Amino acid sequence: MTVKQISVFVENKAGKLAELTEYLHQHEIDMRALSIAETQDFGIVRVIVDDPYKTSCILKEAGYAVSITPVLAVEMPDEPGSLNHILKALGDEDISLEYMYAFLTRKAATAYMVLRVEDNEKAAEVLKRKGIHTVSHDVIAGM
């Protein structure tokens, strides 16, 4: 069960991120999670949206370099130790984490992590065995 993450390359200059978010706003794209990794010249904006196909199409039409990556989204209690439990489960099975970022929803006492790993299927199975719940893109889109 994976979630579709949109990665967008954005020039690392004042106002460029605002241009991207304005464009998403104009096309009524609802962001659920956002992460930015930057270098001196450009940034990679990683975003989970309600409609990844529409988002990818409109961004490509606007000239953005865009890719879609399957990632895992994990639901966890919003309490100390929850992230450690997830990371330990993956590490104990020798599953390397490429990157991650968190987001919250209106669901009380619950947090979510987006995880990028080499093998989503193996990671999802390990997490399931440890009682850690992954969520689908449809669940996130409906939040």
Side-chain angles (χ1 to χ4, degrees):
M1 178 180 331
T2 60
V3 172
K4 293 175 180 74
Q5 171 190 268
I6 305 288
S7 297
V8 186
F9 289 89
V10 178
E11 194 175 7
N12 192 0
K13 288 188 176 178
K16 293 297 182 178
L17 183 59
E19 287 176 14
L20 173 67
T21 58
E22 175 64 25
Y23 197 71
L24 295 175
H25 170 70
Q26 289 171 356
H27 288 86
E28 299 183 353
I29 301 297
D30 198 356
M31 292 186 287
R32 301 291 191 248
L34 172 81
S35 172
I36 301 173
E38 49 84 25
T39 66
Q40 185 173 354
D41 298 325
F42 69 92
I44 302 172
V45 178
R46 295 181 174 114
V47 61
I48 307 294
V49 297
D50 57 340
D51 189 337
Y53 179 74
K54 174 184 173 184
T55 304
S56 176
C57 289
I58 65 160
L59 290 176
K60 286 178 182 178
E61 287 173 10
Y64 287 97
V66 177
S67 65
I68 298 176
T69 306
V71 294
L72 295 176
V74 179
E75 181 181 73
M76 62 186 191
D78 187 11
E79 62 189 30
S82 294
L83 177 58
N84 179 256
H85 179 63
I86 292 166
L87 297 177
K88 184 164 177 21
L90 295 173
D92 287 350
E93 296 292 328
D94 201 31
I95 297 172
S96 295
L97 186 65
E98 293 179 24
Y99 59 81
M100 68 180 189
Y101 51 98
F103 66 102
L104 297 171
T105 67
R106 292 179 188 103
K107 187 174 179 182
T110 303
Y112 296 85
M113 292 298 298
V114 174
L115 308 172
R116 173 71 171 137
V117 295
E118 185 176 338
D119 186 339
N120 285 324
E121 199 170 302
K122 179 180 177 184
E125 178 56 37
V126 166
L127 295 171
K128 183 178 179 180
R129 281 197 321 261
K130 298 289 186 174
I132 300 165
H133 180 67
T134 58
V135 294
S136 70
H137 198 97
D138 290 340
V139 168
I140 291 176
M143 292 179 173

